[in-house]
Amino acid sequence: DQQVKQNSPSLSVQEGRISILNCDYTNSMFDYFLWYKKYPAEGPTFLISISSIKDKNEDGRFTVFLNKSAKHLSLHIVPSQPGDSAVYFCAASAHTSGTYKYIFGTGTRLKVLA
Amino acid sequence: ETGVTQTPRHLVMGMTNKKSLKCEQHLGHNAMYWYKQSAKKPLELMFVYNFKEQTENNSVPSRFSPECPNSSHLFLHLHTLQPEDSALYLCASSQAGQGNTIYFGEGSWLTVV
């Protein structure tokens, strides 16, 4: 049972426009959410995070929104740049059985067209 | 330079071989993780170590054997693997506790022939 879902496997956006990547989760115990970017043959790179006590966090061109009632978060990239083309993973963490676990979605491949 | 270093970056091994993947973190973290990434699947958590103690084994087959001699080093010992174990193995670290970011290494590409 997948607790973190990214239902769009791919997304294409024109350079300069907004990219919106979505993520849904099922476990209400998740209290911290993260977004990662991954290029081929590299490990995931941390982008931005948000605690469950907030509904928005912004860092430069990246903004993450959290809707706890809908168990939904999204990553907005404005303006999108060709270098943003990568796979984006959302992750959620919860404290269970004495440890913090980070559960990842399947990823969304973003292509920013020049 | 990444704060989490994995070696080797690429490994090809036969089904009867014994090999090990190594991970070292230079971030002063006290939790370390092994994840597996197969094609078109989410990152799968394999093992978690907090302060050198294994706190999570996510139903991983015994042909994968982790070792954490100290908070900075993590190994994944591999023995009699199957071709379906071919994947990208990612090591990560974090501070143990709520609201901490997990940082990944570059990964070790494993091919079992």
Side-chain angles (χ1 to χ4, degrees):
Chain A
D1 179 33
Q2 205 169 317
Q3 298 184 64
V4 178
K5 300 177 185 178
Q6 293 176 257
N7 292 318
S8 298
S10 63
L11 174 69
S12 290
V13 171
Q14 208 66 37
E15 181 180 6
R17 306 294 291 265
I18 184 170
S19 295
I20 301 176
L21 298 116
N22 294 303
C23 181
D24 297 293
Y25 61 95
T26 58
N27 189 342
S28 57
M29 298 300 291
F30 287 140
D31 56 15
Y32 191 60
F33 303 87
L34 311 94
W35 282 95
Y36 287 82
K37 175 180 176 180
K38 186 179 184 301
Y39 293 118
E42 294 184 12
T45 303
F46 170 70
L47 275 176
I48 192 168
S49 62
I50 188 167
S51 164
S52 60
I53 62 173
K54 294 186 173 182
D55 54 21
K56 178 183 174 181
N57 189 26
E58 200 170 346
D59 184 1
R61 295 186 298 116
F62 302 93
T63 303
V64 56
F65 295 92
L66 176 62
N67 182 335
K68 286 189 292 293
S69 60
K71 294 191 178 69
H72 177 83
L73 65 153
S74 61
L75 174 68
H76 292 210
I77 307 174
V78 176
S80 301
Q81 300 172 354
D84 295 329
S85 298
V87 178
Y88 289 78
F89 293 94
C90 67
S93 78
H95 186 248
T96 55
S97 306
T99 192
Y100 278 91
K101 296 167 65 168
Y102 295 81
I103 308 298
F104 284 79
T106 48
T108 296
R109 183 177 301 279
L110 173 65
K111 189 172 183 179
V112 179
L113 307 168
Chain B
E1 180 189 320
T2 178
V4 181
T5 305
Q6 289 188 240
T7 54
R9 292 294 312 279
H10 299 271
L11 176 64
V12 179
M13 60 185 289
M15 289 190 282
T16 58
N17 290 161
K18 280 186 182 181
K19 297 285 185 184
S20 296
L21 305 180
K22 179 184 174 183
C23 176
E24 183 175 359
Q25 59 96 1
H26 312 275
L27 300 169
H29 291 161
N30 46 36
M32 295 188 78
Y33 311 78
W34 279 116
Y35 280 85
K36 174 184 177 183
Q37 186 180 26
S38 306
K40 298 184 180 178
K41 283 189 174 182
L43 285 163
E44 299 172 59
L45 178 63
M46 299 175 73
F47 301 103
V48 181
Y49 278 82
N50 283 302
F51 299 96
K52 303 187 299 177
E53 299 297 321
Q54 187 181 124
T55 55
E56 179 79 12
N57 177 337
N58 201 24
S59 303
V60 180
S62 59
R63 57 186 184 271
F64 294 92
S65 173
E67 180 191 357
C68 188
N70 54 61
S71 293
S72 298
H73 293 86
L74 185 64
F75 294 90
L76 188 63
H77 303 300
L78 314 169
H79 178 47
T80 58
L81 296 191
Q82 305 298 311
E84 58 265 28
D85 296 322
S86 299
L88 177 66
Y89 289 85
L90 289 158
C91 173
S93 71
S94 75
Q95 283 297 119
Q98 183 182 16
N100 288 307
T101 299
I102 182 172
Y103 293 92
F104 286 88
E106 298 289 297
S108 293
W109 283 97
L110 173 66
T111 303
V112 181
V113 298

